[in-house]
Amino acid sequence: MASSSSMAFVALACLLLLSMGSSNAQLSTNFYSSSCPNLDSTVKSVVQSAIKKESRMGASLLRLFFHDCFVNGCDGSLLLDDTSSFTGEKMAGPNNGSVRGFEVIDQIKSAVEKVCPGVVSCADILAVTARDSVVILGGPTWNVKLGRRDARTASRTAANNNIPQPTFSLTQLISSFQNQGLSTTDMVALSGGHTIGQARCTSFRSRIYNESNIDATFAKTRQANCPRQSNSGDNNLAPLDLQTPTSFDNKYYKNVVNQKGLLHSDQQLFSGGSTNALVQTYSSNPTRFSTDFVAAMIKMGDIKPLTGSNGEIRKNCRKTN
Ligand code: HEM
Ligand SMILES: *[C@@H]1O[C@H](CO)[C@@H](O)[C@H](O)[C@H]1NC(C)=O
Ligand SMILES: *[C@@H]1O[C@H](CO)[C@@H](O)[C@H](O)[C@H]1NC(C)=O
């Protein structure tokens, strides 16, 4: 008996060590429950007022979390400002002139610092903020895993290389997500983030003028506010979900099924390839979309977090301590 129970102990200890070796071992939903019990309500009230002021902000905040996680993990690296001696990620191609919401993150960080100074990372603030944005715009909720720490470094090169581009083919989209440990199902479900928010003309111009798998009336409508010549109207905006751009719902997939995906990459998900069936499913089954979106958001939040004594808890999300 004694030897079998000590063997069981050894086996358990091994499992524990193994799981500690995996990158997300220390993330947990109750990470701040004693160190910052009011974290959720503090974040939520700032997100709520920001979205009330500008409904698009929810989309912008969700996107920040995605663009942070895909570049060396969810470590707040995206939030670091460029300086004369530091190159951050904000000017990388997929971010420059496009990512927004940093002032809201600053407001959230100051509100959180007031109630629990020096405790909550900027990386975790992005994770909670993304969830709150989805919920406030009518989407599903989930418990956010926490305990990430903030990077002292950033990489513009990795941002350029790792964030998928709207010109990507289905194969490129699948491998971009696979490189982050995310499945094709995760990729299709997370693309549902495009049920909210806006894109610039420069991101969809070639699709609306040059592609054939696009609804003709939809293309005309978008052309009216996105001139063919580049440099003209580059920053003109159009909703990623033409029906309900401020509601987190499954209309994005209905659009894609009807050849009304705005980005080339959106339409790639329903262009006769391996993801057609799943897009069809999400377009008719909002519950399946919600379930898969939540699972994929949690998985994305698990990408290479800094934990334990790695990284730091930044005082100001824009700069290292
Ligand atoms: C599948 C690969 C993806 C590609 C190629 C892609 C590409 C883009 C592009 C080009 C824009 C418009 C940027 C601009 O013109 O300023 C955009 C906006 C957006 N993306 Fe994605 N995206 C992808 C996945 C995701 C994921 C996984 C999420 C979140 C779960 C997401 C959330 C958003 C949101 C919410 C916006 C609107 C932001 C705003 O209005 O400020 N995207 N995306
Ligand atoms: C960022 O965008 C601005 C405005 O389009 C441009 O002038 C600048 O060169 C871009 N920065 C980088 C690093 O590409
Ligand atoms: C359409 O495709 C042609 C040929 O590839 C290219 O020269 C042109 O710039 C494209 N037009 C737009 C608006 O992207």
Side-chain angles (χ1 to χ4, degrees), residues 68-83:
D68 184 37
C69 292
F70 264 54
V71 184
N72 297 324
C74 312
D75 61 0
S77 57
L78 172 61
L79 303 176
L80 294 171
D81 279 340
D82 284 32
T83 70

Side-chain angles (χ1 to χ4, degrees), residues 63 79 107 252:
R63 188 166 181 237
L79 303 176
Q107 285 168 23
Y252 164 81

